[in-house]
Amino acid sequence: MTADIVNLSLTEVADAIRKKKLSSVEVTRACIEQAERVQPRINCFISLEAERALKAARKADQALQKRGVIGPLHGVPLAHKDMFYRAGEVSTCGSKILRDYRPNITSTVVERLAAAGAIWLGGLNMAEFAANPTGHNDHWGHCRNPWNPAHMTGGSSSGSGAAVGARACYGSLGSDTGGSVRLPAAACGVVGLKPTNGLISRYGIMPRSWSQDTVGPLTRTVRDCARITRVIASADPRDPTCTTAAVPNYERELGGKIKGLRMGVPVNHYYKGATADVKKCMNDSLAVFKSLGARISEVEVPDPGQIFLLSSTISVAEASVIHRKWLRERPQDYSLYVRSRIEPGYHISATVYLEALNLRTHFLDEFMRQVYTKVDVLHTPVMVMPPPTIAETEPKASGEVTGIVGRITRNTRPTNYLGLPALSVPAGYSNNGLPVAFQLIGRPFSEAVLFRAAHLYQQETDWHTHMPTL
């Protein structure tokens, strides 16, 4: 029975609770049992709040009996990257420094999920201070890929990808500054959204890079992702960077068609170095889109390599400011790898940093002119290779670790600098049985288009229904 329940999608289980075919207690207990079963192998949780979750589930069932469904996530258990603040509750940010930190504020997205009826199941493992694209964590232990625990999950939202992929929860919030939602989504075989900058409030989360941080959901299906995005998006007076424009009902708009959609395949950068099995998955997915009526064409994009370097400059500079006090007073409490990713920021001059910021408008304008006058969306691999092993990406390991990490993030980081939305979607498996994913990259605030195209793709394929054996 537990396996049957946890294998449902978020929208399926929410509908089952609403129709009283399942209770929130049954669903929450099934997730807890699954989490306890997989935790020893993949280490996806930092905290599993089983008793509190069951208590909240009982209240959700009682509320349903008395007055009906509170919201579109009523009674559904979710777990989140351990950097979304709840007033008075520990939020470790995957670090030793904040192991016992209790913020006095609650993040906007957490409030909105609660208002929609979601159950908080626990805090998920993550790269220390969201500063690692592989998922390594020296303080809480490395998170492991549910498809093969010897391999990396991707990061920094490592526990989010692993927990959703392992069916320990129905969805999760992560953060994406250079690929930290899309990488674990791709590596763990789930859907992950990096939204347009400003679509979703960042109030009440630990920052990594103010200029590029975004919040996005990881889920089993595109429909699930659309539902959560609709719940958490829209204006927030506590985050002045948020859009004030009306947010579409993304789930309702999934029903359209994509005949005539112009889908671009970049001829430069994004496919460079892709392995044969990744290329095959990309070609197979493009064939599905073509069968759905999309018009596939090749397109050259402005140099993403230069954009990558500018994005890195901003991230490192801003992180060095955020961490300056702790690095001065508690340097020994950082892992060596995370320190090495932050400290170079102290050598970036104000003029270089400001120039990198100011060039964003130029490159976005260039991207809009050269790309989005010709196509509506871009189609690229999320990673050009299957997820490598934890040992291969261990910062202390010998060999080409830097080169491997660069290959992992080369296709995701440019999107954060430009502020564009990107959706990671499962697209098959590598020769060694690990998930492969494509990403659709759209114009600013075109999430509805990305969701619709990806949803129709999932109607024609079944990769998103596969469950790892743990």
Side-chain angles (χ1 to χ4, degrees), residues 8 36 42-43 59 94 109 153 184 200 214 220 225 271 306 320 342 385-386 426 457 463:
L8 295 171
E36 291 174 341
I42 63 174
N43 192 34
K59 288 184 177 179
V109 289
T153 56
I200 297 172
T214 58
R220 317 268 179 84
C225 198
Y271 281 78
Q306 188 175 2
S320 68
I342 296 174
M385 60 184 181
Y457 171 83
W463 306 120

Side-chain angles (χ1 to χ4, degrees), residues 107-188:
S107 68
T108 296
V109 289
V110 168
E111 290 178 346
R112 289 176 177 174
L113 290 175
I119 305 292
W120 181 285
L121 191 60
L124 295 174
N125 204 348
M126 58 179 287
E128 178 187 357
F129 287 123
N132 188 326
T134 64
H136 286 77
N137 190 306
D138 289 346
H139 306 299
W140 297 94
H142 305 327
C143 192
R144 296 179 177 273
N145 195 306
W147 293 91
N148 185 332
H151 287 254
M152 69 155 211
T153 56
S156 60
S157 307
S158 51
S160 298
V164 176
R167 305 312 196 247
C169 60
Y170 293 98
S172 176
L173 293 185
S175 66
D176 193 313
T177 307
S180 290
V181 164
R182 288 161 289 159
L183 293 171
C188 297

Side-chain angles (χ1 to χ4, degrees), residues 21 108 128 233 243 319 365:
K21 294 180 178 179
T108 296
E128 178 187 357
T243 180
D365 287 345

Side-chain angles (χ1 to χ4, degrees), residues 47 49 52 82 84-92 98-107 110-111 120 203-204:
S47 61
E49 300 177 18
R52 291 179 66 174
D82 201 27
F84 291 89
Y85 297 161
R86 293 177 298 158
E89 305 293 339
V90 172
S91 181
T92 71
L98 297 181
R99 181 176 288 269
D100 301 310
Y101 175 62
R102 296 178 184 270
N104 58 10
I105 60 173
T106 299
S107 68
V110 168
E111 290 178 346
W120 181 285
Y203 175 80

Side-chain angles (χ1 to χ4, degrees), residues 12-141:
E12 287 172 339
V13 82
D15 292 346
I17 291 171
R18 176 175 56 83
K19 295 174 182 177
K20 302 179 183 176
K21 294 180 178 179
L22 288 172
S23 70
S24 179
V25 168
E26 286 178 292
V27 170
T28 302
R29 185 174 286 119
C31 284
I32 291 169
E33 290 175 1
Q34 180 73 351
E36 291 174 341
R37 190 177 73 81
V38 303
Q39 175 66 10
R41 291 205 68 195
I42 63 174
N43 192 34
C44 54
F45 279 87
I46 286 178
S47 61
L48 179 61
E49 300 177 18
E51 289 305 315
R52 291 179 66 174
L54 285 170
K55 183 178 180 180
R58 293 186 194 101
K59 288 184 177 179
D61 287 335
Q62 292 167 2
L64 182 61
Q65 294 296 330
K66 290 180 180 178
R67 61 183 186 275
V69 175
I70 295 173
L73 301 175
H74 186 91
V76 178
L78 305 176
H80 308 294
K81 187 176 186 177
D82 201 27
M83 58 181 283
F84 291 89
Y85 297 161
R86 293 177 298 158
E89 305 293 339
V90 172
S91 181
T92 71
C93 300
S95 69
K96 181 178 180 180
I97 289 173
L98 297 181
R99 181 176 288 269
D100 301 310
Y101 175 62
R102 296 178 184 270
N104 58 10
I105 60 173
T106 299
S107 68
T108 296
V109 289
V110 168
E111 290 178 346
R112 289 176 177 174
L113 290 175
I119 305 292
W120 181 285
L121 191 60
L124 295 174
N125 204 348
M126 58 179 287
E128 178 187 357
F129 287 123
N132 188 326
T134 64
H136 286 77
N137 190 306
D138 289 346
H139 306 299
W140 297 94

